[in-house]
Amino acid sequence: MSKLQGKRALVTGGSRGIGAAIARRLAAEGADVAITYQRSAEAAKRVVEEIRATGRRAVAIAADSADSRAAEDMVSAAVAQLGGLDILVNNAGILEVGRLEELSVEGIERSLAVNVRAVVLASRAAIPHLGPKSRIINIGSCLASQVPGPGLAVYAMTKAALVGLTKGLARDLGSNGTTVNIVHPGPTDTDMNPATGAGAEGQRQRIALGQYGSPEDIAASVAFLASEDGRHITGAELAVDGGINA
Ligand code: NDP
């Protein structure tokens, strides 16, 4: 597999879960990869070591997506260490569950900062570095379009916001062949939403295919969109959700 040979990718939140799987998959396809993390320095180091063992370049960058000043530094560090940037995957995200009146103002602001503002600022910082035919791939959620129960309004709002950003950026960047898309995972077995967690069975029952996705399922679709095969797809929403919204 070398569909991404010579490409340089930055994956936010690449220390665990879906982001780590995306970083591994892009590297397996031939890309050099920078990942960011906030708290999980050891896990990030392990992902980097795994990728380096396959012969690809990999670096871990500490960058808190909640910090509006971190985006430019993060992108600069990735560009400096990889020698440029062709693929940005905005994956880092947090899930704050609670009815609106129960959530703290700080929690709401943090959700907006990590799930929305950081994606805007990382894209803004990356654009001047992206050459023709680059890729921006945002990680949304099946909850961006359908909210099956209470306590998810703020999270759903943040992911729905990314749809507008994705479509607008597809228009802004299309003239040089750069594509911008959003992948909407359904329930995916990670620390955020373990397949053995308290709410898992209820989610599983709503999935047409009857089971959680794996981080690798999401990574496969990201790798496809990042590759030359995805060249004519932009401004698109790709559901990788086992049919939960079917
Ligand atoms: P996890 O909680 O398992 O992992 C989150 C990753 O994001 C970690 O690498 C974490 O790094 C990083 N991260 C979190 N906050 C920050 C921050 N402030 N700054 C930098 N990095 C941060 O989540 P998932 O892998 O499940 O989720 C990945 C994406 O997929 C998210 O955007 C999520 O909303 C979305 N998604 C997930 C679904 C699921 O069922 N799992 C379903 C639909 C969407 P660290 O450990 O270093 O803090």
Side-chain angles (χ1 to χ4, degrees), residues 113-152:
V114 175
N115 292 3
V116 183
R117 187 180 65 194
V119 179
V120 175
L121 296 183
S123 303
R124 181 174 179 269
I127 286 167
H129 299 282
L130 297 175
K133 299 187 179 180
S134 291
R135 302 284 189 260
I136 297 177
I137 300 162
N138 297 321
I139 303 300
S141 168
C142 59
L143 297 173
S145 56
Q146 291 193 29
V147 184
L152 296 165

Side-chain angles (χ1 to χ4, degrees), residues 92 148 165 170 172 225 241:
L165 179 72
D172 285 356
L225 289 170
D241 63 3

Side-chain angles (χ1 to χ4, degrees), residues 128-220:
H129 299 282
L130 297 175
K133 299 187 179 180
S134 291
R135 302 284 189 260
I136 297 177
I137 300 162
N138 297 321
I139 303 300
S141 168
C142 59
L143 297 173
S145 56
Q146 291 193 29
V147 184
L152 296 165
V154 169
Y155 180 76
M157 171 188 64
T158 64
K159 294 302 189 177
L162 298 186
V163 174
L165 179 72
T166 300
K167 290 176 185 289
L169 280 182
R171 292 287 183 186
D172 285 356
L173 304 179
S175 60
N176 78 349
T178 291
T179 69
V180 187
N181 292 292
I182 185 163
V183 172
H184 292 305
T188 306
D189 187 15
T190 66
D191 296 339
M192 181 186 279
N193 186 6
T196 51
E201 192 45 40
Q203 294 179 65
R204 197 174 285 113
Q205 285 173 8
R206 291 187 291 107
I207 301 172
L209 294 175
Q211 60 185 17
Y212 265 52
S214 69
E216 289 73 24
D217 290 326
I218 312 305

